[in-house]
């Protein structure tokens, strides 16, 4: 990430000030969020500014990335054991999925309360949740409730009135357009949005009005592929081919 910033100089000008970047010998090869995200305003929750969220439940990636938070939503019924494992392993805030379609009613309320009790920064409900269920969850916890929006037909005003604290816009390549539409109607409401697969897509999402962006990281298979490629370019002694001394 480019964490440079400008500070006033002695003569009223601007002096470029570089933020120190500390790495270690072993933990320098991390999954980095796109630099374009840093142009977003962020969402401040309890004094902590969140701009980037890594969309994964892979603890190895969570422990080796520079995201501001984790979006821990997965395609199975939410389970406290999974949420607890992620929260205990992460050193950044975690937003836990608590269902809303198959997992709904009292169970989703219980999952939200459990997530709060074990330290989640917020809970995420999926697009199929009813407004009544959303309202019940919002009334049961004292952490932000993130409502997922996937189609333009969603009644965003009803979601907000039912207790959503943040909107999570996930509409594939239509995400920037949906963010822009919501932003026109609700200029100041917090929005997280999916960033897309390229820096240009992330930039469009931020320009459309997203306050924070979620990024799907490379799979462990893809990361291993690059590592193994580098290994194959090394000789048996660990040196890079073609660089050994004669």
């Amino acid at each position: 990430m480019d964490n440079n910033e400008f500070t006033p100089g002695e003569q009223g000008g601007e002096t470029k000030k570089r933020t120190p970047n500390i790495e270690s010998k072993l933990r320098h090869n991390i999954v980095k969020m796109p630099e374009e995200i840093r142009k977003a305003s962020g969402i401040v929750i309890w004094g902590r500014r969140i701009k980037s969220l890594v969309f994964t439940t892979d603890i190895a990636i969570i422990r080796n990335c520079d995201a501001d938070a984790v979006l821990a939503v997965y395609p199975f019924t939410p389970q406290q054991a999974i949420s607890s494992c992620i929260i205990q392993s992460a050193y950044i805030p975690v937003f836990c999925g608590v269902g809303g379609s198959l997992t709904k009613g009292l169970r989703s309320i219980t999952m939200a309360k459990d997530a709060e009790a074990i330290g989640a920064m917020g809970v995420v409900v999926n697009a199929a949740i009813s407004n009544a269920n959303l309202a019940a969850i919002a009334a049961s916890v004292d952490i932000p409730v993130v409502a997922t929006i996937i189609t333009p037909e969603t009644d965003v005003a009803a979601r907000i009135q039912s207790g959503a604290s943040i909107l999570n816009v996930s509409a594939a390549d239509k995400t920037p357009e949906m963010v822009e539409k919501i932003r026109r109607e609700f200029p100041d409401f917090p929005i997280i949005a999916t960033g897309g697969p390229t820096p240009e897509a992330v930039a469009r999402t931020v320009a459309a009005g997203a306050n924070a962006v979620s990024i799907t990281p490379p799979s462990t298979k893809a990361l291993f592929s690059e590592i193994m490629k580098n290994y194959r370019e090394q000789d048996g002694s660990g040196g890079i081919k073609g660089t050994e001394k004669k």
Side-chain angles (χ1 to χ4, degrees):
M1 292 287 181
D2 182 4
N3 292 322
N4 294 344
E5 59 182 2
F6 288 92
T7 55
E10 293 182 359
Q11 304 301 323
E14 290 184 334
T15 302
K16 193 172 184 179
K17 187 176 182 180
R18 183 175 295 277
T19 302
N21 182 32
I22 299 175
E23 296 179 342
S24 68
K25 293 180 180 179
L26 299 179
R27 285 189 286 182
H28 60 276
N29 185 28
I30 64 174
V31 175
K32 294 187 176 181
M33 300 294 102
E35 294 184 1
E36 288 74 12
I37 293 179
R38 291 304 169 192
K39 296 179 181 178
S41 67
I43 301 171
V44 178
I45 303 175
W46 305 318
R48 182 188 291 267
R49 188 179 300 272
I50 306 295
K51 291 188 177 186
S52 61
L53 299 95
V54 61
F55 177 39
T56 185
T57 54
D58 189 318
I59 291 173
I61 289 178
I62 290 170
R63 292 287 302 181
N64 292 275
C65 73
D66 67 350
D68 298 324
V70 179
L71 192 63
V73 180
Y74 45 92
F76 310 103
T77 187
Q79 300 169 50
Q80 189 196 50
I82 296 175
S83 299
S84 178
C85 185
I86 294 171
I87 291 170
Q88 290 180 17
S89 301
Y91 57 87
I92 53 179
V94 178
F95 291 79
C96 294
V98 296
S101 55
L102 293 177
T103 305
K104 57 186 176 182
L106 181 59
R107 181 170 175 82
S108 61
I109 295 170
T110 301
M111 288 302 304
K113 293 172 70 174
D114 286 348
E116 178 183 23
I118 59 179
M121 174 170 270
V123 293
V124 184
V125 297
N126 63 34
I129 194 170
S130 68
N131 289 327
N133 200 168
L134 172 58
I137 291 174
S140 301
V141 297
D142 188 39
I143 54 178
V145 179
V146 182
T148 303
I149 309 294
I150 62 173
T151 68
E153 289 73 31
T154 301
D155 188 343
V156 175
R159 292 305 202 206
I160 295 173
Q161 292 169 4
S162 297
S165 310
I166 302 169
L167 301 177
N168 175 39
V169 181
S170 180
D173 58 346
K174 301 297 184 183
T175 295
E177 288 85 347
M178 280 188 58
V179 170
E180 188 174 13
K181 177 178 181 295
I182 294 171
R183 182 57 70 216
R184 286 197 301 268
E185 298 176 8
F186 305 95
D188 301 316
F189 201 80
I191 297 175
I192 299 171
T194 52
T198 65
E200 293 76 18
V202 173
R204 287 197 299 272
T205 299
V206 173
N211 303 109
V213 178
S214 66
I215 295 293
T216 302
S219 67
T220 50
K221 176 182 178 181
L223 295 171
F224 260 124
S225 177
E226 185 63 26
I227 291 173
M228 297 308 292
K229 178 182 177 182
N230 292 335
Y231 283 168
R232 294 187 188 101
E233 295 176 353
Q234 296 178 356
D235 62 23
S237 64
I240 304 298
K241 290 182 179 181
T243 64
E244 60 270 15
K245 294 182 179 179
K246 301 295 184 181

